[in-house]
Structures are given as C-alpha cells and as structure tokens.
C-alpha cells in the first residue's frame, strides 16, 4: 500500500492531500495497491517504526515493510512513486501477460506526470540547478513572465526520458505542457514570450 503520513496543520500536507486523493481515484481499479492516509501525530508508533520524521512523507509498503518513500511536498515525484508502486504491484505478483500492461502503465504514468501541475516543464536538472543551457533558458523565460510551474528532471528517470519523446512526438528537451497539452520546446516558448502570448497560451 501507499501511506500518506500527514498533519492537518501543515500547509504542504493539505496541498499534497489533493494530489494523493486524485491518484487514489485514478488507480482505484488497481487490485495491487491500497491508498492509506495517516495522521502522523495520532500514529506516532507506526511513524517511528517506518522512520517517518517529517510531514508529508509517503511510504510504499510491501508485506508490512517499507520499500520506497518520498519525503516532502513534490507532486511530480509523488506521481512517479505511485506509478512505480502500481506498475510493479506491492501486494500481488505480475501476471504472465504483464508486458502490454507495462506499456500502458508508462503512458498512464506520463499522463499523470504531465497533469500533475497546470503548467509542467520536463527538463534536465531542476529549476534551481538546470543541467543544460536550453533548460536554464526556458526556466529564465518562465520566471521572467512570473509563470508558476511544476518540473520533472528527465535525467532522473530514463523510462520517462525516452517514453515522453514517443508520447508527445517531440524528440528533444525541454518540453513545456499547459493543462495537459504540449506547448513545445525552448524555441516555441521563446517565440511566444517575444510576441507577448506566452501567459495567454499557458492559461488556455
């Protein structure tokens, strides 16, 4: 199962609760993973046993033991964590016909990542530490336009890096999405910014 250790007084938890709830609905048909929300302060013994020291913390359990976790409020990483848990199954063995399901699971994972933020940037590195010039430039353009956006480091996940090229039919990075729709790469974003149309395009 996937456990959400949270506290009602922590604002980041409130925000991540919404993402967690949406993921639970998206994967409600899965027989392999249960989604459990835990008030950390009311279950101190459990939290301590699982090494939970801060909220929010998301722990994937298999046979009662933690096998993966995410500490902090990071929606794209939570989507990735849950997708991996659902894709591998934490309580059941994969069926013999698991190969086609894996392909479908990747598409579902990519869709969930793309939709994890109204404006979503797939880049090399992070906004505060870009790992290529193109990614650095697109972050600067977005910040200059005061655009709030989520991001995912494609260097951290080779499956996402290769799969998104096919999914979006766009062969290079960075890639910017708004409301689930591909806007384009650096050149497209730069052109929209120069023409004063970027914010309008992102707000749709």
């Amino acid at each position: 199962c996937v456990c959400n250790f949270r506290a009602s007084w922590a604002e980041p938890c409130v925000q991540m609760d919404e993402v967690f709830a949406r993921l639970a609905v998206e994967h409600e048909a899965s027989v392999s993973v249960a989604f459990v929300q835990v008030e950390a302060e009311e279950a101190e013994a459990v939290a301590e046993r699982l090494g939970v020291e801060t909220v929010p913390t998301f722990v994937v359990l298999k046979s009662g033991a933690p096998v993966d976790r995410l500490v902090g409020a990071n929606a794209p990483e939570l989507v990735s964590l849950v997708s991996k848990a659902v894709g591998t199954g934490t309580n059941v063995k994969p069926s013999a016909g698991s190969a086609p399901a894996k392909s479908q699971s990747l598409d579902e994972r990519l869709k969930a990542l793309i939709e994890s933020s109204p404006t979503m940037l797939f880049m090399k590195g992070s906004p505060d530490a870009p790992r290529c010039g193109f990614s650095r430039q697109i972050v600067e353009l977005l910040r200059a336009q005061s655009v709030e956006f989520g991001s995912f480091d494609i260097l951290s996940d080779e499956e996402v890096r290769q799969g998104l090229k096919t999914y979006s039919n766009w062969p290079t990075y960075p890639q910017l999405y708004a409301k689930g729709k591909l806007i384009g790469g650096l050149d497209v974003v730069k052109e929209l910014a120069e023409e004063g149309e970027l914010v309008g395009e992102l707000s749709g």
Side-chain angles (χ1 to χ4, degrees):
C1 71
V2 183
C3 297
N4 171 15
F5 286 87
R6 45 98 63 206
S8 57
W9 49 261
E11 181 62 29
C13 291
V14 177
Q15 297 169 1
M16 293 300 289
D17 283 350
E18 297 180 6
V19 180
F20 188 77
R22 192 180 77 233
L23 289 169
V25 171
E26 288 178 2
H27 297 291
E28 63 183 352
S30 172
V31 296
S32 63
V33 177
F35 291 78
V36 181
Q37 192 157 284
V38 182
E39 287 293 333
E41 294 178 340
E42 296 177 8
E44 290 184 6
V46 176
E48 183 176 346
R49 180 172 67 83
L50 296 177
V52 176
E53 298 178 346
T54 185
V55 291
T57 293
F58 302 89
V59 181
V60 179
L61 298 176
K62 183 175 182 180
S63 302
V67 294
D68 205 354
R69 73 177 57 225
L70 168 66
V71 178
N74 188 319
E77 289 297 328
L78 177 57
V79 171
S80 181
L81 180 81
V82 169
S83 295
K84 283 191 287 186
V86 172
T88 58
T90 57
N91 294 328
V92 298
K93 295 180 180 180
S95 64
S98 61
K102 183 178 181 182
S103 176
Q104 182 184 12
S105 175
L106 176 59
D107 281 354
E108 290 175 353
R109 183 182 173 202
L110 294 173
K111 183 176 185 293
L113 281 170
I114 289 168
E115 295 177 351
S116 64
S117 178
T119 301
M120 189 68 188
L121 177 65
F122 291 83
M123 61 180 292
K124 294 180 179 179
S126 67
D128 293 328
R131 293 177 63 181
C132 82
F134 298 124
S135 292
R136 176 181 56 77
Q137 290 181 59
I138 200 167
V139 167
E140 290 175 352
L141 280 170
L142 292 172
R143 286 179 168 172
Q145 300 282 326
S146 300
V147 173
E148 293 187 5
F149 61 95
S151 69
F152 184 86
D153 178 8
I154 52 101
L155 296 178
S156 70
D157 193 315
E158 187 64 21
E159 188 176 42
V160 170
R161 180 181 184 177
Q162 298 301 329
L164 191 60
K165 294 178 183 180
T166 303
Y167 184 90
S168 64
N169 196 28
W170 194 272
T172 59
Y173 291 101
Q175 294 182 17
L176 184 68
Y177 292 77
K179 298 182 178 179
K181 171 189 169 187
L182 175 67
I183 301 300
L186 175 61
D187 290 343
V188 174
V189 172
K190 187 181 293 185
E191 183 177 340
L192 288 170
E194 290 172 351
E195 295 175 357
E197 299 177 358
L198 180 59
V199 175
E201 183 74 18
L202 295 178
S203 60

